[in-house]
């Protein structure tokens, strides 16, 4: 018995890298997988049938998978992708939003097109599949069915703590973390959990950075070998989040970096000052913020 026997999953951007790792892992545990990939370059150019590469591996290992070549940021295309899961395997249980591109540069060199393209693939390319999956789950719920739906989104250290040269990507990945938290509230009553994973691996995306390690694909790393940059390092976490065991975990942002699985603790109230019902005075505010909020020396003092 596999922990995902009977489950139907979509993994977006699963032709390469981390997505391929997730698709292979979900299939290993018994899920039937719709392998989505538009087959683009790391910058989002071109188009191809790269999804076939992963489907062939899954089938070669005795699993069930079908290829999907839609652009996840295309509203209707995302709808067709969810429908394909229903047509091929009868339903959708698990949606893993992983597809992504990068177009890095410092903000003064970044073109409007590079900003828009990255926001589109990551943010709309996460929202649109979620939208269609949510409609599918609402219909099943309205028909009286009980089930355990799963959304697993993909964020990044850049979106959670920032990274030079990635204002487009970091904005998109922070947006996905925020979308995850709100969607977890919206889907809770349906029994659907929504979480977000932050991976790290030697993929085509990291391969664009100076001094990056050589790109590896997950099937190139033998099952019994540990490689801290393996694109599949975060895949066991994704498989567990996809399983029924994780029912009580939702709205969480979890990084899986080499040996570590890290629960991220984000925005939380910090030091607070209270104006006791009066308007703040900008001329006096700096001193109060310095001493009672930032716990530093009062402004005006020489450092
Ligand atoms: N590599 C890392 O260290 C790292 C770290 C944090 C987050 N991530 C995220 O992990 C995800 C996977 O990236 P990767 O590193 O495996 O890169 P990758 O380039 O190997 O894989 C990304 C895949 O997404 C596909 N894709 C791109 N745009 C698409 C679209 N519009 N529709 C459908 N498919 C599309 C590409 O064809 C490609 O196969 C991305 O969301 C990325 O931002 C990666």
């Amino acid at each position: 018995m596999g922990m995902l026997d009977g489950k139907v999953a979509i993994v977006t951007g699963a032709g390469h890298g981390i997505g391929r790792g997730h698709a292979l892992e979900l299939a290993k545990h018994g899920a039937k997988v719709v392998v989505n990939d538009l087959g683009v370059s790391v910058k989002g150019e071109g188009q191809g049938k790269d999804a076939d590469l992963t489907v062939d591996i899954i089938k070669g290992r005795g699993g069930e998978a079908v290829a999907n070549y839609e652009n996840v940021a295309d509203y209707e295309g995302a709808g067709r992708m969810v429908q394909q899961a229903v047509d091929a395997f009868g339903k959708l249980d698990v949606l893993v939003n992983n597809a992504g591109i990068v177009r890095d540069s410092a903000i003064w060199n970044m073109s409007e097109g590079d900003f828009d393209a990255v926001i589109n693939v990551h943010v709309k390319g996460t929202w649109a599949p979620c939208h269609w999956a949510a409609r599918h789950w609402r219909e099943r719920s309205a028909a009286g069915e009980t089930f355990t739906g799963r959304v697993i989104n993909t964020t990044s250290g850049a979106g959670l703590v920032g990274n030079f040269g990635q204002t487009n990507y970091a904005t998109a990945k922070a947006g996905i973390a925020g979308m995850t938290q709100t969607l977890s509230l919206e889907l809770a009553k349906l029994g659907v959990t929504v979480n977000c994973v932050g991976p790290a691996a030697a993929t085509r995306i990291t391969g664009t950075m100076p001094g990056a390690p050589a790109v590896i694909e997950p099937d190139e790393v033998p099952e019994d070998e540990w490689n801290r940059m393996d694109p599949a390092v975060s895949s066991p976490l994704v498989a567990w989040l996809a399983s029924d065991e994780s029912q009580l975990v939702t709205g969480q942002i979890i990084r899986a970096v080499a040996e570590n699985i890290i629960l991220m603790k984000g925005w939380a109230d910090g030091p607070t000052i209270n104006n006791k019902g009066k308007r703040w005075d900008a001329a006096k505010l700096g001193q109060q913020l310095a001493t009672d909020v930032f716990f530093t020396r009062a402004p005006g003092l020489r450092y």
Side-chain angles (χ1 to χ4, degrees):
M1 276 288 284
M3 71 190 298
L4 299 176
D5 276 352
K7 302 282 185 199
V8 177
I10 292 174
V11 184
T12 71
H16 293 283
I18 293 165
R20 184 189 291 182
H22 296 341
L24 297 181
E25 184 80 14
L26 297 182
K28 182 177 107 180
H29 293 287
K32 296 168 186 161
V33 186
V34 176
V35 176
N36 158 271
D37 206 290
L38 185 58
V40 292
S41 74
V42 76
K43 290 186 162 190
E45 292 148 342
Q47 206 160 322
K49 298 202 164 173
D50 303 30
D52 292 347
L53 302 168
T54 304
V55 169
D56 289 347
I57 300 170
I58 292 175
K59 286 186 171 170
R61 294 179 180 179
E64 283 187 69
V66 290
N68 173 278
Y69 313 114
E70 297 287 355
N71 175 359
V72 287
D74 178 286
Y75 178 74
E76 299 297 342
R80 288 191 293 270
M81 178 176 71
V82 170
Q83 189 58 44
Q84 188 179 348
V86 176
D87 293 343
F89 301 126
K91 58 176 180 158
L92 175 67
D93 301 299
V94 180
L95 170 64
V96 182
N97 287 306
N98 162 85
I101 62 168
V102 283
R103 294 190 184 190
D104 298 351
S105 58
I107 195 165
W108 51 89
N109 288 327
M110 189 177 287
S111 69
E112 184 186 10
D114 287 350
F115 180 80
D116 288 346
V118 169
I119 296 289
N120 192 44
V121 171
H122 289 274
V123 178
K124 191 166 173 200
T126 297
W127 178 85
C130 285
H131 166 82
W132 290 107
R135 291 176 76 103
H136 168 73
W137 287 322
R138 282 198 82 209
E139 273 173 28
R140 285 170 66 186
S141 180
E145 193 183 337
T146 48
F147 53 89
T148 53
R150 297 282 182 267
V151 177
I152 300 150
N153 293 328
T154 308
T155 187
S156 154
L160 301 172
V161 296
N163 195 23
F164 187 97
Q166 293 194 310
T167 50
N168 49 2
Y169 182 76
T171 303
K173 290 307 205 186
I176 289 170
M179 194 192 310
T180 298
Q181 290 174 318
T182 291
L183 193 58
S184 73
L185 303 176
E186 293 189 2
L187 298 186
K189 277 198 181 147
L190 298 179
V192 176
T193 67
V194 187
N195 292 290
C196 196
V197 167
T203 65
R204 305 184 320 164
I205 278 187
T206 42
T208 60
M209 294 171 185
V215 175
I216 34 180
E217 292 288 3
D219 48 297
E220 292 166 8
V221 182
E223 270 270 300
D224 53 354
E225 199 176 288
W226 169 249
N227 180 332
R228 64 203 314 274
M229 296 310 286
D230 181 352
V233 156
S234 59
S235 301
L237 174 64
V238 168
W240 182 78
L241 287 170
S243 77
D244 289 347
E245 258 189 49
S246 69
Q247 187 61 31
L248 297 179
V249 177
T250 195
Q252 301 302 313
I253 316 295
I254 309 172
R255 294 186 77 190
V257 180
E259 293 85 352
N260 300 308
I261 288 180
I262 312 156
L263 177 65
M264 299 303 287
K265 299 214 158 231
W267 301 110
D269 291 359
T272 306
I273 53 175
N274 183 299
N275 68 0
K276 299 192 174 67
K278 286 180 290 179
R279 190 179 160 82
W280 296 108
D281 179 349
K284 293 182 184 157
L285 191 55
Q287 175 136 15
Q288 204 179 343
L289 286 171
T291 54
D292 298 343
V293 171
F294 299 121
F295 304 129
T296 184
R297 301 171 77 190
L301 296 178
R302 292 173 72 87
Y303 288 88

